Amino acid sequence: MNGVLRFGVSIPPDLLDKFDKIIEAEGYDSRSEAIRDMIRGYIVKRQWISGEEDAVCTISLVYDHTKRGIAEKITDVEHHHIKEIVTTSHVHLDEENCLEVIIIKGNSEKIRDFARYLLSIKGIKHGDFIIVSTGRGIE
Ligand code: NI
């Protein structure tokens, strides 16, 4: 369906007041745009949970390359996921520390498991991952 629809929402005034303050601080021009973003986020999250839509994930890992076995283990895991991995990037942060950024695309449940497995590798100092929608199915 094209265009936009208007709908009414019943909400306690104090809740709406808190919401308006937050969205103003975040830079939204209108309440409608903030609510549209929230609805998109909710839909995307539900699609991930059900595993029905592909997603894209950025995984960042910081580790000490002088510690034996860590770099080899990361590379080994990457070689076993060449179909899902879009790209990898390696940055030498200092004498010891490295940053590995991996972008992976595919079934949301599988890529979440992949990210969690990488983060669980012994010797990873710090890491995190962000899953986002591929953009399909949301406007
Ligand atoms: Ni390095």
Side-chain angles (χ1 to χ4, degrees):
M1 187 184 286
N2 295 321
V4 292
L5 290 174
R6 288 178 180 273
F7 66 99
V9 178
S10 301
I11 186 169
D14 57 339
L15 185 60
L16 187 59
D17 187 49
K18 283 180 190 168
F19 181 71
D20 283 344
K21 282 178 181 150
I22 291 169
I23 66 171
E24 190 188 345
E26 289 187 358
Y28 281 102
D29 291 329
S30 74
R31 197 182 275 159
S32 290
E33 187 51 36
I35 291 169
R36 281 194 290 271
D37 271 1
M38 287 175 63
I39 292 173
R40 287 184 197 108
Y42 183 78
I43 290 168
V44 167
K45 193 175 173 189
R46 299 307 304 179
Q47 285 171 335
W48 292 340
I49 290 166
S50 67
E52 66 192 49
E53 284 286 333
D54 278 2
V56 194
C57 180
T58 308
I59 307 161
S60 301
L61 307 167
V62 174
Y63 64 95
D64 182 343
H65 81 97
T66 65
K67 298 258 170 74
R68 276 178 67 93
I70 302 170
E72 290 80 359
K73 200 157 193 175
I74 293 168
T75 305
D76 194 50
V77 173
E78 288 171 349
H79 277 272
H80 283 96
H81 290 82
I82 52 171
K83 283 183 183 167
E84 295 88 9
I85 290 174
V86 179
T87 191
T88 61
S89 190
H90 184 98
V91 180
H92 310 303
L93 297 172
D94 57 32
E95 297 284 307
E96 293 91 27
N97 294 300
C98 298
L99 167 69
E100 183 95 352
V101 179
I102 303 157
I103 299 177
I104 187 164
K105 184 180 165 191
N107 176 273
S108 56
E109 279 182 84
K110 284 182 184 167
I111 64 177
R112 191 184 295 119
D113 288 347
F114 177 77
R116 285 183 179 148
Y117 175 75
L118 277 170
L119 293 171
S120 75
I121 291 173
K122 199 177 170 212
I124 301 286
K125 286 185 175 182
H126 179 63
D128 212 341
F129 65 94
I130 299 170
I131 302 179
V132 294
S133 162
T134 59
R136 286 195 310 177
I138 53 169
E139 293 303 322

